[in-house]
Amino acid sequence: MNPKIENRRAFLHQSAALSTAAAATGVFGLPELYANQPALPDDEKLGVALVGLGSLSTNQIAPALQKTKRCKLTAIVSGTPAKQEKWAKQYDLTPEHIYDYETFDKIAEDESVDIVYVVLPNGMHCEYTVRAAKAGKHVFCEKPMAISSVECRQMIDACRKAERLLGIGYRCQFEPHHLKCMELAKSKEFGEIKEIIAGFGFKIGDPKQWRLNKKLAGGGPLMDVGIYALQACRYLTGLEPDLITATETKTDPVKFAEVEETLAWTMKMGDVTCSCNTTYAFNGVNNFHAYCDNGNFGLEPAYGYGGIKGKSSKGPIEFEQVDHFAAELDHFAECITEGTELKVPGEEGLQDLLILEAIFKAAESGLAVKPESM
Ligand code: NAD
């Protein structure tokens, strides 16, 4: 084993153990975390360019990039001059590191940028990932990876050809409550998982937003937030769905003319039955729960940026909340500089898209569908 990796593992275990007393208040100790690395000096941090300065970039990612230990914000891409000006002031960015969608490809010559982080509407992820890879940059892309498995494959190919890493923004895979649940599942703390119930949805507002536009969003709540429930089923079981059934409910055919409104689906994953749902019609669904041979465990709320709570038949699952975005970005930066294994590569995004496509197919046909394999 590479001594650097061995040392890092030892450090992670040690720092996790040291912080257990302070950070774990439930009945389980902290899981192995990915955000405990020591901070690098500023001039050794990798540079990140944010593409798309909407709600997520403004409220979550840019603030996270002020806390990251291995990367920092060095450039922005926006089509709105007022936003460019505001961000330049707020984050001390000079004009040569500010791009719009036409000048984006010039980022190839910007040595301050190592990673391009794509935070655009889903239907634009493929184009900007391919362009970023051609510019010689590593790419971190928000979920869902793209609007089709065909696009996902193009993105993977482009990054492979450019010999750059491609990571997908599955932030829950870096969150202590989720990581502990993965450990509980893997160690069979409660015996074999028999059934999982998982769902995520919210009541959507503005009927003109891109999330309701098929070309830009690829689909409705399933692509946007149902994907979290799918991810949970996959990382708890470590299995892929054999067969899927799905039912759609539409009460507002005008607002939801292009995308689904509410969708319930089941997945047979080995001997585990998963029942999932997603919606843009009402608030409150935000959970997963695993029922096992000798007990049960789960999270609710499960998928927010904070406030995650867990419970089990042995007692609460409780840890300090962490910044999911800082954790996933530091992990990505570490994989680039240290050559360590990426937890959330493009293939993970492609696998989800293949399953999402099968869920849509099952809803349309009313038949049980087997997802295509990678
Ligand atoms: P948003 O609408 O707030 O921002 C989108 C940005 O894209 C805006 O700055 C907009 O100006 C820009 N844009 C460029 N071309 C556009 C076009 N043709 N149409 C519309 N906007 C255009 O969206 P958001 O909530 O920031 O979501 C962006 C991405 O991040 C999506 O892929 C979404 O799924 C993902 N997301 C992830 C999380 C998470 O927790 N990981 C949370 C929210 C959103």
Side-chain angles (χ1 to χ4, degrees):
M1 164 149 341
N2 177 339
K4 229 181 194 172
I5 298 176
E6 185 61 54
N7 285 342
R8 181 185 155 268
R9 288 229 172 102
F11 171 76
L12 280 175
H13 280 297
Q14 190 192 27
S15 48
L18 284 175
S19 51
T20 298
T25 51
V27 295
F28 300 103
L30 264 185
E32 180 172 337
L33 295 177
Y34 290 81
N36 270 337
Q37 305 100 328
L40 292 176
D42 212 47
D43 60 351
E44 286 179 31
K45 288 180 177 175
L46 297 187
V48 177
L50 277 183
V51 190
L53 308 181
S55 166
L56 188 69
S57 288
T58 305
N59 301 315
Q60 306 299 328
I61 302 171
L65 282 165
Q66 308 311 301
K67 300 179 211 162
T68 35
K69 298 169 180 172
R70 300 190 151 244
C71 52
K72 60 182 181 185
L73 181 67
T74 52
I76 50 172
V77 184
S78 166
T80 314
K83 271 195 215 168
Q84 294 179 343
E85 204 179 307
K86 184 167 180 278
W87 278 64
K89 246 187 226 149
Q90 187 170 354
Y91 294 109
D92 199 16
L93 299 166
T94 46
E96 68 273 24
H97 303 301
I98 298 173
Y99 303 86
D100 60 28
Y101 298 107
E102 280 72 49
T103 59
F104 172 70
D105 305 285
K106 290 200 180 122
I107 212 160
E109 281 111 57
D110 190 334
E111 286 185 3
S112 81
V113 175
D114 301 286
I115 299 165
V116 168
Y117 189 165
V118 180
V119 201
L120 290 164
N122 313 337
M124 301 171 76
H125 289 183
C126 180
E127 179 190 341
Y128 283 86
T129 295
V130 171
R131 283 169 70 178
K134 282 190 179 149
K137 306 300 179 185
H138 299 284
V139 188
F140 199 71
C141 178
E142 260 310 323
K143 49 52 60 182
M145 178 171 170
I147 60 173
S148 71
S149 54
V150 171
E151 285 191 345
C152 293
R153 291 188 204 279
Q154 289 169 4
M155 294 158 78
I156 292 170
D157 282 352
C159 291
R160 197 173 285 151
K161 262 191 208 124
E163 297 183 0
R164 300 291 89 181
L165 280 193
L166 170 59
I168 310 302
Y170 288 128
R171 59 182 169 76
C172 291
Q173 295 208 29
F174 300 88
E175 198 285 327
H177 298 78
H178 286 259
L179 289 167
K180 177 50 69 176
C181 287
M182 291 177 212
E183 285 183 7
L184 294 175
K186 202 168 175 193
S187 68
K188 302 194 196 313
E189 178 83 17
F190 299 95
E192 297 287 346
I193 297 179
K194 296 295 190 188
E195 183 178 25
I196 297 174
I197 292 175
F200 194 17
F202 67 97
K203 188 172 169 63
I204 201 159
D206 181 7
K208 295 209 160 55
Q209 64 186 288
W210 67 261
R211 281 184 164 80
L212 299 172
N213 172 316
K214 175 103 182 182
K215 198 162 163 254
L216 285 171
L222 180 63
M223 300 287 282
D224 191 17
V225 288
I227 194 170
Y228 286 91
L230 167 59
Q231 273 269 303
C233 294
R234 290 185 55 232
Y235 54 63
L236 290 173
T237 60
L239 298 169
E240 302 301 342
D242 307 312
L243 268 188
I244 292 172
T245 62
T247 318
E248 192 195 334
T249 307
K250 206 180 286 270
T251 63
D252 186 343
V254 177
K255 187 168 185 177
F256 300 102
E258 297 193 19
V259 301
E260 77 281 6
E261 178 181 335
T262 296
L263 210 149
W265 77 99
T266 67
M267 298 184 288
K268 182 186 171 308
M269 301 174 83
D271 293 332
V272 185
T273 309
C274 301
S275 304
C276 305
N277 60 67
T278 187
T279 186
Y280 272 164
F282 53 91
N283 290 320
V285 184
N286 181 347
N287 57 40
F288 70 72
H289 215 85
Y291 298 90
C292 316
D293 269 332
N294 306 313
N296 61 79
F297 64 97
L299 304 180
E300 182 162 16
Y303 311 109
Y305 304 134
I308 294 174
K309 285 203 175 108
K311 63 177 184 181
S312 76
S313 47
K314 287 190 179 170
I317 303 168
E318 279 175 13
F319 306 108
E320 257 173 39
Q321 307 290 322
V322 304
D323 187 314
H324 309 182
F325 295 91
E328 68 182 357
L329 283 165
D330 274 335
H331 166 70
F332 190 60
E334 189 197 15
C335 292
I336 294 168
T337 50
E338 311 261 325
T340 45
E341 195 186 338
L342 179 58
K343 263 192 99 183
V344 285
E347 286 75 8
E348 178 83 357
L350 166 62
Q351 179 62 20
D352 276 353
L353 254 296
L354 289 167
I355 299 169
L356 296 182
E357 287 171 346
I359 297 171
F360 283 128
K361 207 163 157 191
E364 273 159 32
S365 66
L367 302 171
V369 173
K370 184 176 167 49
E372 258 181 53
S373 50
M374 290 237 264

